Amino acid sequence: MADPASSPDQPHPSSRTADATVPDRRVAERVADTREVTVEWFAGTVLGELQNRSETGVLILVDAALPVRVVWVEDGVRRERSGRIARVQRLSATSSGLAIEFDGV
């Protein structure tokens, strides 16, 4: 029987709690913000190397930045920042969290 913590309808256990033993590497403080944003993708075709595969998916390593632009409106002003995907975390069967590192920081 499959582990319910790893089923497509349940978040991965690592998304529920932070590991207190992992040092925080952030250089800037996080601020809660729930505004809507648009993420524009620019990667096109990316070559990768298959690491492993199964009937349900594959793990591929890519030697490339995955560039994006994040666009939002703040105080009535359109803002945008370019950056690259740093991490993708599956939150549920229908949603993912994207960690984006901005360029020039």
Side-chain angles (χ1 to χ4, degrees):
M1 180 173 196
D3 177 6
S6 63
S7 76
D9 297 326
Q10 296 294 320
H12 189 275
S14 66
S15 67
R16 296 183 195 144
T17 59
D19 183 349
T21 63
V22 176
D24 191 347
R25 299 177 305 195
R26 291 181 197 88
V27 296
E29 182 180 348
R30 284 185 180 177
V31 178
D33 192 338
T34 58
R35 79 186 76 228
E36 186 173 288
V37 300
T38 300
V39 178
E40 300 172 351
W41 306 86
F42 302 108
T45 300
V46 177
L47 287 176
E49 181 179 315
L50 185 65
Q51 292 298 294
N52 62 58
R53 62 185 172 83
S54 72
E55 290 296 318
T56 60
V58 296
L59 173 62
I60 300 171
L61 299 183
V62 297
D63 188 20
L66 301 175
V68 296
R69 180 176 19 248
V70 181
V71 181
W72 70 97
V73 175
E74 184 176 347
D75 299 327
V77 178
R78 182 181 189 271
R79 310 276 187 192
E80 66 179 63
R81 295 286 301 267
S82 62
R84 65 204 156 282
I85 301 293
R87 183 179 68 250
V88 177
Q89 183 171 348
R90 183 176 182 175
L91 302 175
S92 72
T94 59
S95 68
S96 297
L98 300 177
I100 298 172
E101 294 177 342
F102 290 138
D103 292 336
V105 178

